[in-house]
Amino acid sequence: MNYVVQRLLTFPLILLGVSVLVFVSIRLVPGDAITAMLGTEAGLLTPAQRTALAAYFGIDQPIWSQYLRWLSGLFQGDLGISSIYGKPVLSIILERFPLTLQLALMSMVISLSVGIPLGVFAATRNEKPSDLIVRMLAMLGQSTPSFVIGVLIIYVLSVFFGFVPAMGTFTPLTVDPLASIGQLIFPAITLGFAFAASVTRISRSAMLDVLSDDYIRTARSKGASQRSVVWRHALPNALIPVVTLSGVEFGYLLGGAVIVEQIFALPGLGRLVLDAITQRDYALVQGTVLFIAFNFLLVNLLVDLAYVALDPRIRIGGR
């Protein structure tokens, strides 16, 4: 419990550093924020109108003053108002987050369901033809960009099956589960393809290490079946590096898979951040990145706690 408390106490410091970094970085992007927001219509503004808009969005103040003003609102649960949507940033994030969360979970389920069995299969048939085939497929999966997989899926479905995946819409899981899963299954496969290859390679390597340990030989000498040795004794300990990889990857997925969301026209966090950057929506960029960073920290904390559940020999907090 002390370890959990210590980690939670570091959250504000890390988030503060992230807030400073993103606050400064977005303002280093070349271009005028008002011109980016209004486009060609910005040229029709009079100097007084431009000054009034700058004062309204608070970008007429020094950068340190803008940061302190935004930080004071943050402590009150106010992430600011989006200049694009004209709504509170937090409400926009909460509208887009369910899609990204569901997409990340589905891609994780697909990746682990495919990668772990393939890794175990390859490890138990080390250096055999079946092992080499699995390793080749894993290398192919890791070396193929996700946008290539997405384009190929759309092409094959449309040309050979006369079916185009649903794009630009999202039905919440609580409203229509089947429709929701159907809309995100192909983007989830696209996202999970490369990750499944990584899981396959990591789980194979971990299983090979575990299968050579003394306690595995002891279990076999006591007459335990091969199935019991692999799935009951070896796999839980071999899952530790897989959990580490999954935690990091899931944190990135929660950050929004920009390319996949762009290909399938999904209104998730990835496209939200991309649109906010191109439109110089400072409040939306800052709020979204801070929200993503918090989720990333939370996922990594859960991963650390999962180590103990998988391997009781691991202790946290110095115990």
Side-chain angles (χ1 to χ4, degrees):
M1 183 58 67
N2 292 334
Y3 174 80
V4 176
V5 173
Q6 292 174 5
R7 287 291 299 270
L8 291 176
L9 290 177
T10 62
F11 276 24
L13 298 177
I14 298 176
L15 293 176
L16 182 64
V18 172
S19 69
V20 173
L21 183 62
V22 69
F23 194 91
V24 174
S25 299
I26 186 60
R27 282 160 176 78
L28 293 178
V29 176
D32 180 15
I34 295 178
T35 302
M37 286 185 287
L38 299 180
T40 56
E41 295 181 0
L44 303 177
L45 296 175
T46 64
Q49 290 173 329
R50 181 178 288 271
T51 302
L53 275 177
Y56 176 78
F57 290 110
I59 57 177
D60 60 330
Q61 302 294 322
I63 186 171
W64 61 268
S65 178
Q66 296 180 41
Y67 177 75
L68 292 178
R69 178 182 176 185
W70 177 72
L71 191 63
S72 63
L74 182 63
F75 286 128
Q76 302 173 15
D78 180 15
L79 297 179
I81 302 296
S82 169
S83 59
I84 300 177
Y85 300 95
K87 298 192 298 184
V89 170
L90 184 59
S91 66
I92 300 172
I93 293 174
L94 295 179
E95 288 176 3
R96 301 293 189 95
F97 183 62
L99 185 150
T100 301
L101 177 61
Q102 183 180 336
L103 179 61
L105 289 173
M106 289 177 62
S107 62
M108 286 288 293
V109 170
I110 292 172
S111 302
L112 296 177
S113 300
V114 174
I116 292 177
L118 282 179
V120 173
F121 175 81
T124 55
R125 291 160 178 80
N126 188 28
E127 299 302 335
K128 294 182 179 179
S130 54
D131 175 37
L132 296 177
I133 292 174
V134 171
R135 290 160 62 186
M136 290 176 59
L137 290 175
M139 292 183 64
L140 177 64
Q142 282 191 299
S143 60
T144 305
S146 59
F147 68 86
V148 174
I149 302 299
V151 172
L152 283 176
I153 288 176
I154 295 174
Y155 176 79
V156 170
L157 290 176
S158 59
V159 174
F160 295 98
F161 297 95
F163 170 74
V164 178
M167 297 184 181
T169 59
F170 172 66
T171 303
L173 194 65
T174 55
V175 176
D176 189 343
L178 292 179
S180 181
I181 294 175
Q183 291 168 355
L184 295 185
I185 185 63
F186 296 111
I189 293 174
T190 303
L191 270 181
F193 189 81
F195 183 47
S198 300
V199 171
T200 299
R201 298 189 65 181
I202 291 294
S203 58
R204 175 188 177 274
S205 177
M207 281 293 294
L208 287 176
D209 291 338
V210 172
L211 288 174
S212 62
D213 287 346
D214 292 338
Y215 75 93
I216 296 296
R217 287 193 290 268
T218 301
R220 284 174 172 162
S221 65
K222 289 183 177 180
S225 64
Q226 176 69 4
R227 182 184 182 90
S228 175
V229 168
V230 171
W231 295 100
R232 182 180 177 184
H233 297 280
L235 183 60
N237 294 328
L239 284 179
I240 292 176
V242 177
V243 170
T244 303
L245 176 66
S246 301
V248 174
E249 183 68 19
F250 190 66
Y252 285 123
L253 292 177
L254 287 179
V258 180
I259 296 177
V260 173
E261 289 182 2
Q262 195 73 15
I263 292 175
F264 291 92
L266 297 174
L269 283 182
R271 289 188 67 197
L272 181 66
V273 175
L274 183 62
D275 293 342
I277 293 174
T278 56
Q279 296 292 326
R280 307 294 193 280
D281 192 338
Y282 294 152
L284 189 55
V285 174
Q286 293 158 189
T288 307
V289 172
L290 200 65
F291 182 78
I292 292 170
F294 176 78
N295 286 321
F296 196 91
L297 292 172
L298 186 60
V299 168
N300 278 272
L301 175 61
L302 295 177
V303 167
D304 290 345
L305 297 178
Y307 292 158
V308 181
L310 289 172
D311 190 348
R313 296 174 299 178
I314 298 177
R315 292 293 180 266
I316 58 178
R319 296 192 304 274

